[in-house]
Amino acid sequence: MSADLTELYQQVILDHNRRPRNRGRLPTANRVAHGDNPSCGDQCDVFLRLDGDRIAEISFDGSGCAISQASASLMTTQLKGKTAAEAETLYQEFHDIVTTGKEPAEISDVAAFAGVHAFPARIKCATLGWHAALNALKADATTATTESHTD
Ligand code: ZN
């Protein structure tokens, strides 16, 4: 990666931290899941409104390190409008990027997280929001509540 691209990718992560996308509770959500990364202290709730099999709306709320919050913000922009199957594919691509450092063929905001692979402890930070989103897609609304989460 050229120095210019490294700078660009850092700016992507900083930008998502400063101006998180789709942040806050989603009043119309019919799926909710909580993500917890105790090794870093990151928390992330993901709110989805599923319309059939498609993610009509998605938001997150949470606290934690810059990587976790920027990744959750980016995740919402990636998954909005996608089907559950498409979301799973996008997660696999993101997981490959953060675990191997392999960059996608096209320059995209997702590639900003390729550098995470050099810091294995941060991979959980980068995937936290995605895990929560996939859990929200799999669980039904009655069991996906986060209100009983105590730790
Ligand atoms: Zn973290």
Side-chain angles (χ1 to χ4, degrees), residues 108-149:
S108 74
D109 284 1
V110 174
F113 291 85
V116 170
H117 88 281
F119 307 92
R122 311 309 297 279
I123 292 172
K124 287 181 181 174
C125 304
T127 56
L128 178 65
W130 291 81
H131 278 299
L134 292 185
N135 283 344
L137 284 169
K138 287 170 186 161
D140 69 43
T142 55
T143 60
T145 178
T146 63
E147 301 309 314
S148 61
H149 190 84

Side-chain angles (χ1 to χ4, degrees), residues 37 39-43 63-69 121-126 128:
N37 178 25
S39 67
C40 184
D42 308 320
Q43 307 273 334
S63 61
C65 69
I67 294 288
S68 70
Q69 302 304 300
R122 311 309 297 279
I123 292 172
K124 287 181 181 174
C125 304
L128 178 65

Side-chain angles (χ1 to χ4, degrees), residues 22-95:
N22 305 305
R23 180 162 190 157
R25 290 180 169 268
L26 185 66
T28 55
N30 52 17
R31 300 290 181 95
V32 181
H34 179 77
D36 188 13
N37 178 25
S39 67
C40 184
D42 308 320
Q43 307 273 334
C44 183
D45 290 314
V46 171
F47 305 86
L48 299 179
R49 184 169 68 79
L50 268 188
D51 185 2
D53 189 41
R54 195 166 292 277
I55 300 169
E57 294 180 89
I58 181 167
S59 74
F60 82 101
D61 201 5
S63 61
C65 69
I67 294 288
S68 70
Q69 302 304 300
S71 174
S73 171
L74 177 70
M75 175 275 295
T76 64
T77 68
Q78 295 284 305
L79 297 192
K80 187 171 184 178
K82 300 296 194 297
T83 65
E86 289 168 342
E88 181 79 36
T89 300
L90 285 167
Y91 168 68
Q92 290 301 333
E93 291 175 2
F94 183 78
H95 186 265

